[in-house]
């Protein structure tokens, strides 16, 4: 995850008039109200639990809460987009390229997404990476989050009601340097072991290529396109072959937030900029390479559900006129789904407390708080869901700001409810970070296998009913 992704989603939604939600909003608000009333009775206890003592993992989390934002982008508050040159998004489905809705039965993409219910990210874990290779490559797993994943943890996540677990994975610290990008058996075996923790719990699992965004591995420009396609093809051929016998509970996500790292447009997609348009077109080719590699790997990969992102996994990246879904093999209908990351509203969900405009307040009764969420969900529903194409928002959340748990509970319930009403599922980003001034998205303290904010979790679960 790279948290500045929110700016893309924020600007995309602001560029479009807010759409009415009718009964959908009213139903979602009822769920939120019920969750908030219950939260008022227990929020003080949840806050006390979070403040009582500091386990070893929380110390590491404090130091590395922003670790997934290393090698970072410039703060986009310092690079405001030129709104005069902003390109209006085309939110109407492209009937010429649109795929006919799948009517094959209960296993189509929209039904699959509904079955996924609500998800949780094993963040800052198998995706942890470094510019220097560690002597013990398994040490990466606890390098950012402070703790190694256990089956007990995953059992607790499932017991809380989560039906999906996203397992971000970085590979580049675990491949050969001879140009073949051969993944080490040690790392592949560990990834499979953690996947099996969730599969054995009858959960859906999402695995991906995560922090491999660089000119050495994956970079969406013509200069690095062939190398990037070779990397994507090699990694996904190996991963798909390892998991070829797994059923539809395993979902493969081609890339995480592909973007022009290190440029002024890393988190701002300006479609009047030729380099940005080129990047979108390169991402189309990388997504196609991913699909082709998985489909060619045999077994159940021939019809596995796959997730693909647009530029930086943003809303605009997935809805602009240049983005195209990959072509699938003959006989597959809507097996390719769209992934989006959206930490909105930005000033509440993601922006640091020390930054101008940051707020720790959010209310279902404030239309300025809810409208951006509703608008985004409507856009995704109109362009994809109603045409039979599955959509997963596999990163969302609101960071802790001085113990504002009641606002976070209300937000989480509303966000999930708004998504579910439009046939979309969501996965909370959890980086196991709870203390300090970093991006504290943690809700499940792994050291003690306990959700610190049970009302937040309960609100999301009720929103799924």
């Amino acid at each position: 995850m790279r948290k500045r992704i929110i700016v893309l989603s924020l600007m995309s939604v602001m560029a479009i008039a807010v759409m009415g939600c009718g009964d959908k909003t009213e139903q979602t608000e009822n769920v939120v109200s019920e969750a908030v009333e219950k939260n008022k009775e227990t929020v003080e206890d949840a806050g006390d639990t979070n403040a009582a003592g500091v386990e070893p993992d929380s110390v590491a989390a404090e130091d590395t809460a922003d670790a997934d934002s290393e090698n970072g982008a410039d703060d986009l508050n310092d690079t405001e987009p030129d709104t005069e040159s902003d390109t209006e998004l085309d939110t109407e489905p492209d009937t010429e390229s649109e795929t006919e809705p799948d009517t094959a039965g209960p296993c189509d993409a929209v039904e699959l997404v509904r079955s996924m219910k609500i998800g949780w990210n094993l963040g800052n874990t198998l995706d942890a990476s470094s510019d220097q290779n560690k002597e013990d490559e398994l040490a990466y797993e606890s390098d950012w989050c402070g703790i190694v994943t256990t089956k007990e943890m995953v059992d607790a996540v499932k017991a809380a009601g989560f039906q999906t677990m996203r397992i971000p994975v970085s590979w580049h610290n675990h491949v050969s340097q001879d140009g073949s990008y051969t993944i080490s058996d040690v790392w592949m075996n560990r990834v499979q072991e953690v996947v099996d923790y969730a599969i054995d719990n009858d959960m859906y699992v999402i695995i991906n290529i995560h922090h491999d965004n660089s000119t050495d591995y994956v970079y969406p420009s013509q200069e690095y396109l062939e190398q990037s396609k070779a990397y994507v093809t090699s990694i996904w051929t190996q991963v798909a072959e390892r998991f070829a016998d797994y059923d539809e509970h395993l979902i493969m996500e081609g890339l995480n937030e592909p973007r022009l790292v290190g440029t002024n447009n890393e988190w701002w997609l300006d479609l009047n900029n030729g380099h940005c348009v080129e990047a979108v077109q390169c991402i189309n080719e990388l997504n196609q390479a991913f699909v082709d590699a998985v489909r060619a790997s045999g077994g159940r990969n021939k019809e596995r559900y796959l997730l693909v992102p647009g530029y930086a996994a943003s809303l605009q990246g997935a809805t602009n006129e240049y983005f195209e879904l990959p072509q699938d093999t003959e006989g597959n209908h809507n097996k390719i789904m769209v992934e989006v990351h959206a930490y909105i509203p930005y000033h509440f969900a993601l922006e640091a407390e020390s930054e101008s405009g940051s707020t720790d307040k959010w209310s279902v009764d404030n239309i300025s708080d809810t409208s951006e969420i509703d608008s985004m969900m409507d856009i995704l529903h109109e362009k994809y869901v109603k045409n039979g194409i599955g959509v997963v928002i596999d990163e969302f959340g609101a960071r802790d700001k001085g113990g504002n748990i009641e606002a976070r509970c209300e937000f989480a319930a509303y966000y999930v409810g708004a998504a579910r009403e439009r046939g979309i599922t969501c996965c909370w980003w959890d980086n196991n970070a709870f203390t300090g001034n970093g991006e504290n998205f943690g809700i499940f303290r792994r050291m003690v296998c306990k959700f610190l904010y049970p009302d937040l979790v309960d609100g999301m679960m009720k929103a799924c009913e």
Side-chain angles (χ1 to χ4, degrees):
M1 170 193 176
R2 281 296 303 245
K3 307 302 190 303
R4 291 298 170 194
I5 187 64
I6 184 62
V7 176
L8 287 166
S9 295
L10 174 68
M11 296 307 298
S12 300
V13 174
M14 291 176 66
I16 302 168
V18 176
M19 304 177 185
C21 296
D23 294 338
K24 293 178 181 178
T25 301
E26 182 177 353
Q27 181 175 345
T28 302
E29 289 178 353
N30 289 338
V31 172
V32 173
S33 297
E34 181 180 351
V36 169
E37 286 303 314
K38 183 176 185 299
N39 170 68
K40 288 179 179 178
E41 300 173 2
T42 59
V43 63
E44 184 175 347
D45 292 338
D48 290 343
T49 302
N50 187 28
V54 180
E55 291 87 359
D57 68 312
S58 65
V59 176
E62 179 176 354
D63 292 338
T64 61
D66 198 27
D68 60 344
S69 294
E70 289 177 353
N71 309 319
D74 293 335
D75 190 329
L76 290 186
N77 288 327
D78 297 330
T79 56
E80 285 295 321
D82 181 1
T83 55
E84 293 181 0
S85 65
D86 186 20
T87 302
E88 183 176 354
L89 298 184
D90 178 10
T91 60
E92 291 297 320
D94 181 357
T95 55
E96 293 183 0
S97 62
E98 196 171 282
T99 304
E100 288 296 321
D102 183 10
T103 57
C107 289
D108 68 359
V110 175
E111 286 301 314
L112 177 87
V113 169
R114 180 159 294 278
S115 298
M116 292 170 70
K117 191 177 176 181
I118 182 71
W120 177 85
N121 272 270
L122 185 69
N124 279 20
T125 309
L126 297 180
D127 54 314
S129 61
S130 172
D131 290 337
Q132 297 180 340
N133 285 310
K134 293 181 178 294
E135 185 175 346
D136 177 10
E137 62 180 306
L138 292 181
Y140 283 100
E141 181 176 352
S142 59
D143 194 36
W144 290 2
C145 70
I147 189 169
V148 172
T149 309
T150 66
K151 187 177 186 302
E152 181 185 9
M153 295 177 199
V154 180
D155 291 347
V157 171
K158 174 58 185 290
F162 291 93
Q163 188 57 35
T164 298
M165 188 165 86
R166 182 172 180 251
I167 304 175
V169 184
S170 296
W171 302 94
H172 67 271
N173 287 125
H174 312 278
V175 299
S176 64
Q177 301 301 310
D178 60 1
S180 67
Y181 308 116
T182 302
I183 302 169
S184 77
D185 287 337
V186 170
W187 189 245
M188 183 76 87
N189 291 341
R190 178 54 181 162
V191 171
Q192 184 173 16
E193 183 177 30
V194 176
V195 167
D196 287 345
Y197 293 159
I199 293 293
D200 291 345
N201 269 306
D202 196 32
M203 299 173 76
Y204 289 92
V205 178
I206 301 171
I207 56 175
N208 71 355
I209 290 178
H210 206 79
H211 288 303
D212 295 2
N213 297 315
S214 77
T215 55
D216 291 328
Y217 303 102
V218 180
Y219 200 84
S221 71
Q222 283 294 333
E223 181 180 0
Y224 297 100
L225 181 59
E226 291 308 312
Q227 168 202 292
S228 299
K229 287 167 67 174
Y231 183 80
V232 168
T233 298
S234 177
I235 296 299
W236 279 115
T237 296
Q238 296 172 77
V239 174
E241 287 175 352
R242 173 61 69 97
F243 291 98
D245 294 333
Y246 286 60
D247 66 15
E248 71 276 3
H249 282 81
L250 181 67
I251 298 165
M252 296 176 181
E253 171 193 306
L255 301 167
N256 177 74
E257 300 175 1
R259 60 196 186 276
L260 296 171
V261 174
T263 72
N264 289 335
N265 292 107
E266 180 169 2
W267 300 110
W268 169 246
L269 181 60
D270 178 5
L271 295 176
N272 292 311
N273 183 320
H275 293 295
C276 289
V277 173
E278 177 185 297
V280 174
Q281 294 169 335
C282 287
I283 289 168
N284 291 340
E285 291 196 48
L286 292 172
N287 283 337
Q288 188 66 61
F290 156 63
V291 171
D292 292 345
V294 173
R295 293 293 183 243
S297 299
R300 295 188 173 185
N301 294 319
K302 293 179 180 179
E303 55 185 19
R304 186 175 307 287
Y305 284 95
L306 305 176
L307 276 170
V308 297
Y311 186 92
S314 67
L315 174 64
Q316 186 188 20
T319 55
N320 72 79
E321 61 184 305
Y322 299 102
F323 176 70
E324 299 176 356
L325 288 177
Q327 294 294 313
D328 207 345
T329 53
E330 185 176 358
N332 280 339
H333 300 286
N334 293 342
K335 296 285 187 177
I336 298 174
M337 306 187 294
V338 176
E339 64 157 307
V340 172
H341 297 175
Y343 298 84
I344 58 174
Y346 170 67
H347 297 302
F348 169 77
L350 181 59
E351 189 174 29
E353 292 180 84
S354 61
E355 296 180 24
S356 175
S358 176
T359 180
D360 61 357
K361 295 176 174 57
W362 191 96
S363 173
V364 68
D365 298 321
N366 188 343
I367 192 170
S368 65
D369 289 342
T370 61
S371 61
E372 190 177 341
I373 296 171
D374 293 330
S375 180
M376 179 185 69
M377 301 302 177
D378 283 337
I379 292 167
L380 291 171
H381 178 269
E382 288 300 305
K383 187 168 183 66
Y384 292 117
V385 179
K386 82 172 188 178
N387 295 301
I389 299 169
V391 175
V392 179
I393 300 174
D394 57 12
E395 282 191 25
F396 90 105
R399 62 193 285 174
D400 176 75
K401 295 185 178 182
N404 61 333
I405 182 61
E406 185 173 337
R408 294 174 76 205
C409 288
E410 197 169 343
F411 158 83
Y414 187 90
Y415 194 112
V416 171
R420 293 287 289 182
E421 284 293 332
R422 296 160 179 82
I424 300 168
T425 200
C426 307
C427 300
W428 181 277
W429 176 258
D430 191 328
N431 56 2
N432 200 43
F434 301 91
T435 61
N437 298 318
E439 294 176 344
N440 296 324
F441 283 91
I443 58 174
F444 178 67
R445 194 179 285 283
R446 301 177 200 177
M447 181 65 73
V448 294
C449 287
K450 181 178 181 179
F451 281 94
L452 295 191
Y453 313 115
D455 293 329
L456 188 153
V457 175
D458 186 57
M460 290 194 292
M461 297 306 160
K462 287 184 177 179
C464 288
E465 295 175 354

